[in-house]
Amino acid sequence: MATRLAVVSFLNTRPLVHALETGRIEHRFDLTYDVPSRCAERLHSGEADAALIPSVEIARGPVPYRVVPEVGISSRGPVRSVLLLHRKDPADIRTLALDVNSRTSSVLSRVLLQKRYRCRPDVLHLPPDAGRMLDRADAAVIIGDAALAVDTTSSRVIDMGEAWTALTGLPFVYACWAGRSDALDPEQTRQLIRSKTLGVGEIPHIAAICASSGQGTAGFYADFLGEKIRYDFGEAELAGLNLFFRYAHESGLIGYIPKIRFYAQA
């Protein structure tokens, strides 16, 4: 029986699954696509065996999850697709609209506002429409493909990847493959790692495909996927994720600090 994988439907996940989608890797995965919040819900409820989940959801599962090593979606500096739009100076933000599709970035925005600006706004959850969100709140979190469409030259914007690295000196991990401890065997773990490796090598081709169906140029997508987004999960990414969990716990946004345990490759 195929292993059910829930995959985030955003552009930034394409290099992780391109080799699985195109048949370059033979596999026993059944891929389904959804927004980050729903991928997490699918995993938590048992609708998926493993999923590309927002990293904060590792702390919210019904059981301890394991994580695929060497693979993640992260940044070290500007990320471009995780934005905090604001109408007031950050220290004066009193209301914050959170994208209903977001989990990790919603927590990250509150951590950054508290740590950098001593600001604890009231929050509301809305669909990802920047104009409508800012009609109802002083600031708004926009992520993924909707964030890529934002004109950052005409908006007051905090790039949250850049802000995190400026605060901590570390990468930020937005998402990773996770599942119950017996969901992936070593061969499947290696396949997901190899899929990442092959996909990163195909970024120019993936960018050209995105340009043919999107609003940006191939150069824009190649810069985003090849420079802004990072797909490795090593010691620096683990340190950044552990620090994020600590800050989120200190802020009362997660109930405990999870210990990251990885799937075996052999």
Side-chain angles (χ1 to χ4, degrees), residues 175-244:
C176 52
W177 289 115
R180 288 164 174 78
S181 60
D182 59 350
L184 301 176
D185 61 33
E187 179 185 4
Q188 291 174 313
T189 300
R190 293 193 301 270
Q191 287 173 334
L192 291 176
I193 296 170
R194 177 160 171 73
S195 182
K196 175 209 68 173
T197 302
L198 292 173
V200 169
E202 290 287 320
I203 282 177
H205 175 63
I206 295 169
I209 295 173
C210 294
S212 69
S213 58
Q215 297 180 342
T217 65
F220 172 83
Y221 292 121
D223 176 72
F224 172 62
L225 296 173
E227 301 297 332
K228 302 295 190 297
I229 299 293
R230 298 157 59 103
Y231 294 99
D232 294 332
F233 193 149
E235 291 184 5
E237 287 75 25
L238 181 59
L241 184 56
N242 283 331
L243 182 59
F244 171 61

Side-chain angles (χ1 to χ4, degrees), residues 4-261:
R4 300 167 298 171
L5 282 188
V7 184
V8 173
S9 55
F10 291 164
L11 174 71
N12 60 12
T13 68
R14 302 271 58 81
L16 296 185
V17 294
H18 182 70
L20 302 178
E21 294 172 332
T22 58
R24 291 195 63 190
I25 296 176
E26 293 187 9
H27 61 84
R28 295 178 287 107
F29 296 123
D30 178 16
L31 278 62
T32 59
Y33 298 83
D34 219 319
V35 296
S37 56
R38 275 293 297 145
C39 286
E41 290 166 5
R42 285 177 182 272
L43 182 61
H44 295 338
S45 68
E47 294 177 60
D49 301 308
L52 190 61
I53 62 168
S55 58
V56 74
E57 293 298 312
I58 296 171
R60 295 172 173 167
V63 297
Y65 292 143
R66 288 192 180 270
V67 172
V68 172
E70 302 181 29
V71 184
I73 294 179
S74 66
S75 67
R76 190 163 195 163
V79 67
R80 185 57 181 84
S81 61
V82 181
L83 305 178
L84 178 67
L85 312 181
H86 55 103
R87 298 185 305 168
K88 296 182 176 181
D89 289 339
D92 296 326
I93 292 171
R94 296 293 175 265
T95 51
L96 174 64
L98 302 175
D99 182 342
V100 293
N101 296 327
S102 168
R103 295 289 176 86
T104 294
S105 300
S106 293
V107 173
L108 175 60
S109 66
R110 297 168 74 181
V111 166
L112 288 172
L113 286 173
Q114 180 182 339
K115 291 290 183 182
R116 293 195 68 181
Y117 304 106
R118 301 293 184 264
C119 173
R120 291 177 177 265
D122 295 329
V123 301
L124 58 158
H125 300 265
L126 296 173
D129 182 313
R132 292 183 179 180
M133 294 168 87
L134 290 174
D135 284 342
R136 296 188 57 185
D138 298 329
V141 171
I142 297 286
I143 68 167
D145 298 356
L148 292 177
V150 171
D151 181 2
T152 57
T153 64
S154 61
S155 304
R156 299 179 71 181
V157 177
I158 294 172
D159 182 306
M160 288 196 279
E162 183 176 26
W164 171 263
T165 299
L167 177 67
T168 68
L170 292 168
F172 188 83
V173 179
Y174 304 93
C176 52
W177 289 115
R180 288 164 174 78
S181 60
D182 59 350
L184 301 176
D185 61 33
E187 179 185 4
Q188 291 174 313
T189 300
R190 293 193 301 270
Q191 287 173 334
L192 291 176
I193 296 170
R194 177 160 171 73
S195 182
K196 175 209 68 173
T197 302
L198 292 173
V200 169
E202 290 287 320
I203 282 177
H205 175 63
I206 295 169
I209 295 173
C210 294
S212 69
S213 58
Q215 297 180 342
T217 65
F220 172 83
Y221 292 121
D223 176 72
F224 172 62
L225 296 173
E227 301 297 332
K228 302 295 190 297
I229 299 293
R230 298 157 59 103
Y231 294 99
D232 294 332
F233 193 149
E235 291 184 5
E237 287 75 25
L238 181 59
L241 184 56
N242 283 331
L243 182 59
F244 171 61
F245 285 148
R246 180 160 70 83
Y247 284 169
H249 184 256
E250 290 172 355
S251 300
L253 301 173
I254 57 175
Y256 75 106
I257 300 174
K259 179 177 175 56
I260 301 298
R261 295 177 173 84

